[in-house]
Amino acid sequence: MFIVDHLYQVFLNQRIYIYHYHQKNGFACMMLSEFFELIQFLFVVTFTTFLVNCVEYDVLFANRAVNHTGQGQNPYERNKVTLPDAIVPSQQCTQRIQDNSWIIFLLIMAATFWIYRLIKVFCNILSYWEIRQFYIKALKIKMDELCNFTWQEVQDRLISLQREQQMCIHKKELTELDIYHRILRFKNYMVAMINKSLLPVHLQLPLLGNVVFLTQGLKYNFELILFWGPGSLFQNKWNLHPKYKRSGNRLELAQKLSRVILLIGLANLLLCPFILVWQVLYAFFSYTEVIRREPGSLGARRWSLYGRLYLRHFNELNHELHGRLGRGYKPTSKYMNSFTSPLLAVLAKNVAFFSGSVLAVLIALTVYDEDVLTVQHILTAITVLGVVITITRSFIPDEHMVWCPEQLLQCVLAHIHYMPDHWRGNANKSETRDEVAQLFQYKAVFILEELLSPIVTPFILIFLLRNKSLEIIDFFRNFTVEVVGVGDICSFAQMDIRRHGNPTWMSDGQTEASVYQQAENGKTELSLMHFTLKNPRWQPPQESSLFISHLKEKVQHDAQGGPSTQLLLSEAPLCTSLHSNESGAGAESLIASVLIHPILTASGLPGRDHRFVPPSSAASAAASVLASLSTSHHAHPSRSRPHVLLPSSVYPETTMYRSDRTVINSMSNSDSRIRSNALHSEFASAEMSLHAIYMHELHQQTSHPQRTSGHWQSSVPMRDFHTNTGFHGHGSHSSNISMPAPAQLGGWKEEEEDEDDQEINSGSSPKKATPRSS
């Protein structure tokens, strides 16, 4: 009984580590990673100390002759220098270290930090071992089978275990949203603060203009100040300190927070030289070999840390975010690469020609006689010329590239789900490209920012973050709610349409949120759709359920005036050829068909059936595909909620994926389960992409009605469905959708967009109670 109670405590107190344990592939992998982190730090410190004190560089560079005189050797003959000749004897090396007080001081600091890390690793070992026992004894998952289980399956077992054993005493049943809240408690706050532009990550610099600066070091300091450091706002891992929930002493609390920020900023300033040295050394050891082997790797792009927070949905786990941004990597790269400078292209071609000519001669000489390599600086010249050629080629555009920035940016939107209003119609402008570059930065820029982080971070904390102390205090007081069995969470994380919805994102008539309470860029609405699709068994609260029903009704109505699904799918291969390097199939074809159809019909081109196709928008095309997706409970019994739009292509109703279904039926039960989960995840992501396109189109029509085309004038506003349909709560849902009667477009209120950093729990939260063990 003691063991069972102990495992339940592991479940309650370390649920975030239960997720990380699954994602990092179990106890052995996690411990090995922790061990090698210690070894890496020890190696960098030891090796750097050795290079500084124990190497004779004059001998190594042959600036000083070495006496190799021995029996039978000519003392005047110059012999080749070997590595042992350049290494100082151990006693002399030790004496040099002892005589250098700075080296001693730095070694003491490094040893102190290493011992702290060692103690933390031992604590982590105990924690990870408890989680391992929880997986084996409570969840009945063996360690050699862990990699075969998806997180969704682990989550289902957690929910079933709570239902059977009542591990969390504060509530009878555990929902998917409860688990996400505990895992992403602090992450949701960060997403909400970025969304509401509360954190000072936008800097106005001379000559450079608006620059986004958010590094790992700066993010670490934000979390240290707000969540878990000394003087932070949270008194433990799950509760905001009660005094921050009261408005009476907000000015006093803001002053206290300002002092904490000042102290941490001064600590960063004091430690700046040591952190900077470490950053330089770590970057040198990490990237030098990669740059030598692949010079073009610095020209590759990656999603910035700011981009990962700006584009993240509320309640989106790490693996879900990485998968979504991974699918958006290619189209975003194509969009960024479509911008070229004719002047730079001319210069790059000529520099590449001259550098290549010299490099060709050097290579030919080394092939003719390898002794050429012994000539001083020949290898250096060959390496530098190769780097120059690689860099210059990145400025030369692909001669086969087609200039279609609007279509490429629409394809990017399908995967990243968020796009500011002013990008629409301005995809060909350099300002839009620069803003995309803030989300999708060069790897060289990432490395440079991390190197500058120890210098810039103290000034951001002292001069910028301190000025926002009162706003931060107000934010946590206004947007923190207490949920039974979960603790304090960000109210945005509850995805409550009534409290945080935006009227221009189809929440008109359903939200009571002021501009201050609204999430920016449709974060609440898009996050709700994403979470619903990723967790089909989750039962949303009434307001959220009503919003989903309204959206579904509007999709069905708009699909009536859109192109047929058969026509859209017949055009999918053409779109795939425009937006990818290989022919697409499956879920990608659904997105491809929606993206290409407005292009094909813009000039009244004939369709595949040789009939004239009237012009239509991406929204109507998306509505047609979404409407064709199966919502029948009988088609997929495991998806018990009718308002989730699931692609029928996964199942045998259509011929398009019937071969996949045949393969699944022929596989073993285990393989069938894995394949089915993979297909569901793929199509859930595609369905979310279609919803993102559709909702952005409707938002544009609502916010900027003058931009919309004539065929939209027959659309029905979302608020009309509240009175015309019977969807008023959970009990009124039906698996079959009744088509609404045609109605004329009503007015839409124009509201500001919302931009969030982390989700915050809101109005329709469950009964509040202070959790005893979270």
Side-chain angles (χ1 to χ4, degrees):
M1 185 64 183
F2 171 78
I3 296 177
V4 174
D5 292 339
H6 179 66
L7 293 178
Y8 291 167
Q9 288 301 316
V10 173
F11 169 73
L12 293 172
N13 298 325
Q14 302 192 33
R15 199 174 305 169
I16 183 173
Y17 297 110
I18 292 176
Y19 171 72
H20 292 318
Y21 188 90
H22 173 268
Q23 293 297 302
K24 295 181 179 179
N25 301 306
F27 181 81
C29 291
M30 297 178 77
M31 285 298 94
L32 202 60
S33 298
E34 298 259 9
F35 172 76
F36 276 113
E37 283 183 9
L38 290 174
I39 298 300
Q40 277 187 9
F41 182 83
L42 198 62
F43 171 79
V44 170
V45 172
T46 305
F47 191 46
T48 303
T49 304
F50 170 80
L51 292 176
V52 172
N53 297 279
C54 303
V55 177
E56 289 284 2
Y57 290 98
D58 286 338
V59 175
L60 185 65
F61 297 148
N63 294 328
R64 190 177 75 196
V66 180
N67 185 8
H68 283 146
T69 303
Q71 187 175 3
Q73 289 183 334
N74 186 349
Y76 298 101
E77 182 180 355
R78 184 179 179 88
N79 294 308
K80 184 179 293 185
V81 176
T82 62
L83 283 177
D85 295 331
I87 297 177
V88 176
S90 58
Q91 293 181 348
Q92 184 180 350
C93 178
T94 304
Q95 189 62 39
R96 286 186 180 182
I97 295 174
Q98 292 175 351
D99 293 341
N100 193 327
S101 57
W102 272 104
I103 293 294
I104 295 295
F105 175 71
L106 291 175
L107 288 178
I108 291 175
M109 288 193 62
T112 303
F113 178 77
W114 191 83
I115 291 174
Y116 163 76
R117 286 287 302 148
L118 181 64
I119 295 174
K120 192 172 181 180
V121 167
F122 277 121
C123 294
N124 288 342
I125 290 176
L126 299 177
S127 176
Y128 296 154
W129 183 260
E130 290 179 338
I131 297 173
R132 179 181 183 274
Q133 297 300 104
F134 180 80
Y135 267 87
I136 295 174
K137 296 183 179 180
L139 299 182
K140 309 299 181 184
I141 299 177
K142 298 179 181 178
M143 289 301 97
D144 56 348
E145 298 177 354
L146 181 63
C147 60
N148 296 329
F149 283 82
T150 65
W151 171 250
Q152 287 292 91
E153 293 171 316
V154 175
Q155 182 174 267
D156 290 342
R157 294 201 177 197
L158 286 173
I159 295 173
S160 299
L161 192 62
Q162 164 68 14
R163 192 178 297 117
E164 296 171 0
Q165 304 293 342
Q166 200 66 31
M167 294 179 295
C168 180
I169 62 176
H170 301 289
K171 57 194 314 181
K172 183 177 181 180
E173 291 200 4
L174 199 67
T175 68
E176 292 86 348
L177 189 59
D178 292 334
I179 296 176
Y180 275 67
H181 280 164
R182 295 182 69 104
I183 295 174
L184 300 170
R185 188 192 313 275
F186 297 153
K187 185 67 69 177
N188 280 328
Y189 274 109
M190 289 292 292
V191 171
M193 286 188 285
I194 288 292
N195 183 259
K196 299 299 289 183
S197 300
L198 185 59
L199 296 178
V201 296
H202 291 269
L203 309 178
Q204 287 293 335
L205 301 180
L207 301 179
L208 298 179
N210 181 32
V211 175
V212 173
F213 188 87
L214 181 60
T215 62
Q216 294 289 350
L218 183 58
K219 177 174 174 286
Y220 176 87
N221 278 276
F222 286 157
E223 294 174 346
L224 178 70
I225 293 169
L226 298 175
F227 302 124
W228 52 267
S232 65
L233 279 63
F234 275 75
Q235 62 180 359
N236 47 44
K237 294 180 180 180
W238 56 86
N239 279 125
L240 188 69
H241 199 285
K243 62 184 178 182
Y244 292 103
K245 300 179 181 180
R246 298 188 293 266
S247 61
N249 55 349
R250 55 192 289 268
L251 295 178
E252 178 185 348
L253 294 174
Q255 292 176 356
K256 178 183 176 182
L257 179 61
S258 178
R259 288 193 296 268
V260 171
I261 295 173
L262 177 61
L263 291 176
I264 293 181
L266 293 176
N268 274 269
L269 194 61
L270 182 65
L271 296 174
C272 173
F274 311 110
I275 300 175
L276 181 61
V277 169
W278 169 256
Q279 293 280 64
V280 172
L281 290 175
Y282 189 82
F284 176 78
F285 290 129
S286 299
Y287 298 112
T288 301
E289 190 277 333
V290 176
I291 295 173
R292 184 199 66 81
R293 177 167 40 88
E294 299 178 13
S297 61
L298 291 179
R301 290 187 176 270
R302 66 187 300 277
W303 294 103
S304 66
L305 185 58
Y306 169 76
R308 292 174 186 271
L309 288 173
Y310 177 83
L311 299 175
R312 189 169 193 150
H313 292 295
F314 293 131
N315 300 313
E316 184 173 21
L317 294 171
N318 289 341
H319 73 278
E320 296 171 348
L321 175 69
H322 294 163
R324 180 164 62 87
L325 295 184
R327 287 185 291 271
Y329 185 90
K330 281 188 177 181
T332 313
S333 295
K334 288 188 176 185
Y335 173 76
M336 297 300 292
N337 293 336
S338 66
F339 287 84
T340 59
S341 170
L343 180 61
L344 284 178
V346 172
L347 294 175
K349 287 179 181 178
N350 285 276
V351 172
F353 172 78
F354 295 126
S355 301
S357 301
V358 177
L359 181 61
V361 172
L362 294 179
I363 293 176
L365 291 175
T366 57
V367 171
Y368 178 75
D369 189 347
E370 62 182 10
D371 289 337
V372 174
L373 293 174
T374 62
V375 178
Q376 191 175 22
H377 301 315
I378 283 293
L379 282 176
T380 303
I382 292 176
T383 302
V384 170
L385 288 171
V387 172
V388 169
I389 293 172
T390 302
I391 293 176
T392 54
R393 282 178 177 172
S394 65
F395 294 100
I396 302 174
D398 183 2
E399 60 181 357
H400 304 294
M401 183 185 64
V402 179
W403 175 249
C404 51
E406 288 291 346
Q407 288 72 36
L408 286 174
L409 194 58
Q410 188 80 341
C411 189
V412 172
L413 170 64
H415 296 288
I416 68 174
H417 299 172
Y418 294 99
M419 187 177 76
D421 283 354
H422 61 270
W423 286 7
R424 181 64 60 92
N426 297 314
N428 60 333
K429 294 185 177 180
S430 59
E431 292 83 359
T432 302
R433 180 192 181 277
D434 293 340
E435 292 185 17
V436 177
Q438 294 174 350
L439 309 176
F440 196 60
Q441 63 184 176
Y442 283 116
K443 192 168 187 178
V445 175
F446 162 75
I447 296 174
L448 180 61
E449 287 182 350
E450 291 295 332
L451 292 178
L452 293 176
S453 179
I455 302 173
V456 179
T457 295
F459 295 99
I460 293 179
L461 296 178
I462 295 173
F463 297 107
L464 297 179
L465 187 63
R466 284 181 64 209
N467 297 333
K468 291 182 172 289
S469 298
L470 185 58
E471 295 179 53
I472 292 173
I473 295 297
D474 290 339
F475 179 88
F476 277 87
R477 184 185 71 256
N478 294 327
F479 299 120
T480 295
V481 295
E482 186 178 341
V483 178
V484 174
V486 176
D488 290 332
I489 65 169
C490 182
S491 63
F492 285 99
Q494 287 227 319
M495 304 171 294
D496 186 354
I497 297 297
R498 181 178 59 83
R499 182 172 180 180
H500 296 299
N502 192 317
T504 63
W505 288 89
M506 292 178 290
S507 299
D508 194 15
Q510 302 179 48
T511 180
E512 303 171 359
S514 64
V515 174
Y516 176 68
Q517 295 173 320
Q518 294 168 6
E520 306 295 332
N521 295 328
K523 181 75 78 172
T524 300
E525 292 79 4
L526 289 167
S527 296
L528 174 62
M529 290 306 304
H530 180 267
F531 188 83
T532 302
L533 291 170
K534 288 294 183 180
N535 300 273
R537 295 185 181 89
W538 175 63
Q539 296 292 336
Q542 181 177 355
E543 292 82 1
S544 300
S545 182
L546 184 63
F547 172 82
I548 295 172
S549 299
H550 286 178
L551 176 61
K552 187 174 181 181
E553 290 286 340
K554 185 163 180 61
V555 166
Q556 294 286 344
H557 180 274
D558 289 346
Q560 296 179 16
S564 67
T565 307
Q566 291 78 7
L567 175 62
L568 289 170
L569 293 178
S570 69
E571 295 164 351
L574 175 56
C575 180
T576 303
S577 67
L578 290 178
H579 294 286
S580 65
N581 295 326
E582 60 274 345
S583 61
E588 289 298 323
S589 294
L590 299 176
I591 304 173
S593 63
V594 170
L595 294 175
I596 195 59
H597 188 72
I599 305 174
L600 295 180
T601 62
S603 301
L605 298 178
R608 286 286 183 96
D609 56 0
H610 305 290
R611 292 179 298 176
F612 177 78
V613 180
S616 60
S617 69
S620 60
S624 294
V625 176
L626 287 172
S628 68
L629 302 181
S630 174
T631 59
S632 173
H633 170 70
H634 302 286
H636 187 12
S638 64
R639 297 178 64 97
S640 57
R641 285 175 33 256
H643 60 259
V644 176
L645 306 179
L646 178 72
S648 59
S649 311
V650 183
Y651 304 100
E653 280 75 11
T654 64
T655 59
M656 189 172 178
Y657 302 100
R658 192 169 293 167
S659 58
D660 287 342
R661 185 65 178 176
T662 303
V663 172
I664 291 177
N665 289 334
S666 64
M667 298 162 71
S668 65
N669 291 334
S670 176
D671 291 341
S672 177
R673 171 179 57 83
I674 296 173
R675 177 59 180 256
S676 178
N677 288 334
L679 285 175
H680 169 259
S681 177
E682 178 185 359
F683 278 94
S685 299
E687 188 176 350
M688 183 61 214
S689 296
L690 296 175
H691 276 102
I693 295 171
Y694 179 73
M695 293 170 72
H696 270 270
E697 290 284 343
L698 294 188
H699 166 69
Q700 282 291 323
Q701 181 221 358
T702 304
S703 300
H704 309 283
Q706 67 277 9
R707 297 183 186 176
T708 58
S709 56
H711 76 280
W712 274 108
Q713 300 305 313
S714 62
S715 299
V716 176
M718 287 298 299
R719 63 170 179 264
D720 287 349
F721 291 112
H722 184 72
T723 56
N724 294 339
T725 61
F727 293 85
H728 298 286
H730 296 291
S732 58
H733 287 291
S734 172
S735 59
N736 297 321
I737 301 180
S738 58
M739 301 304 295
Q744 295 300 316
L745 174 66
W748 290 72
K749 266 198 221 169
E750 184 169 327
E751 294 286 344
E752 296 182 5
E753 292 178 61
D754 228 347
E755 150 187 41
D756 259 337
D757 180 279
Q758 277 273 357
E759 52 194 61
I760 309 170
N761 256 332
S762 79
S764 62
S765 58
K767 176 184 173 184
K768 296 182 180 180
T770 303
R772 280 178 282 174
S773 57
S774 297

